[in-house]
Amino acid sequence: MKKKMFVYPLAVVFCVIASLAAVDAMAAYPEKPIEFVVHSAAGGGSDLFSRTVAHILEKEGMVKQKINVVNRTGGSGTVAMNYMADKAGDPYVLMQFTTGPLSALLRGSSKAKLEDLTFISMATMDPNLAFTRMESKFNDMKSVIDYALKNPEMVSVAYGTVGGSEHICSHRIMKATGAQLNLVGFGGGGPAAVAILGGHVDLGFGNVEEQMGQIEARKIKPLGTMTPERIPFLSHVPTMKEQGINAVYDQPRGFWAPKDFPPEAVKFWEETFYKLSQTQAFKEYLNKSYSVNHFMRSAETKAYITKFINELKVDVEELGAYKKKK
């Protein structure tokens, strides 16, 4: 009996010591430079976003260590995702995700699977919209659909690549309304935009940031946003839902980490990215890039992205995208 009474306090002491060690580890982390992995080339939207985030975190003193942005390009996100699969358990590697890496998961082209990733946080949403040239007879998406319902396949819609965001937006509009639009592929966003401006195609879909210059120059006019709610920098433009079209598509942007990312590291970054979202510098960046602050914590981000991928899977299957060539 005496022996048991002696062991019990010892167990308590060990538990206290272990708890204190965990607290010390959390307080010390990170103890060496961080790597932010980007799937696209330097100078692109994802690269600029990651470098801006890294700069703000360092300048504001939220991260005491150097953050190195590393571009691992290739395979539309596949190379970067394979790299993440090889970094399981490494608390010093994070990756920014957006539609490229999400599509790689959907295609099954990488070693990393959805369940192999540790979700850290959502950061922003890049809104999409439908637009047409200024001379067009259409002034909103409702008028486009009303015309298309009476004149099947007489409204032409440009899209860049099969399974890309413009293709998905077009598909969701048709699915929601029953309208038959004439989808015309151009193999890239640039040629598609030229075709719309030249009047060769009636309308297109695109990222707001990419189209804002043409909107401000009054070369194109927005017909409706694919966002759940109106966006502040185009507050006069109604959403699709406001026009009776139950179709939404946003491009999420956030951070995840490799499998077995330590819980204390998850907590550190979750809190750090929340603090980032509240800084004036980050808000100014969002205004300049026409993005919407959409911070979510780890569990909420995982649920959101899982739902996003499952919905996207339905789209690409219905469109016949990502089919393997025989």
Side-chain angles (χ1 to χ4, degrees), residues 198-211:
H200 307 296
V201 184
D202 294 310
L203 65 134
F205 291 85
N207 183 287
V208 171
E209 180 182 13
E210 294 173 355
Q211 308 304 328

Side-chain angles (χ1 to χ4, degrees), residues 162-214:
V162 174
S165 60
E166 308 103 322
H167 202 192
I168 299 297
C169 287
S170 303
H171 175 67
R172 290 189 179 182
I173 291 290
M174 291 193 294
K175 190 174 179 179
T177 63
Q180 296 178 42
L181 304 174
N182 179 20
L183 306 188
V184 184
F186 285 86
V194 170
I196 295 165
L197 287 171
H200 307 296
V201 184
D202 294 310
L203 65 134
F205 291 85
N207 183 287
V208 171
E209 180 182 13
E210 294 173 355
Q211 308 304 328
M212 189 60 85
Q214 300 281 36

Side-chain angles (χ1 to χ4, degrees), residues 129-132 141 156-159 166 170 192 196 201-206 223:
L129 82 168
F131 62 93
T132 187
M141 203 61 193
S156 54
V157 183
Y159 69 89
E166 308 103 322
S170 303
I196 295 165
V201 184
D202 294 310
L203 65 134
F205 291 85
L223 300 172

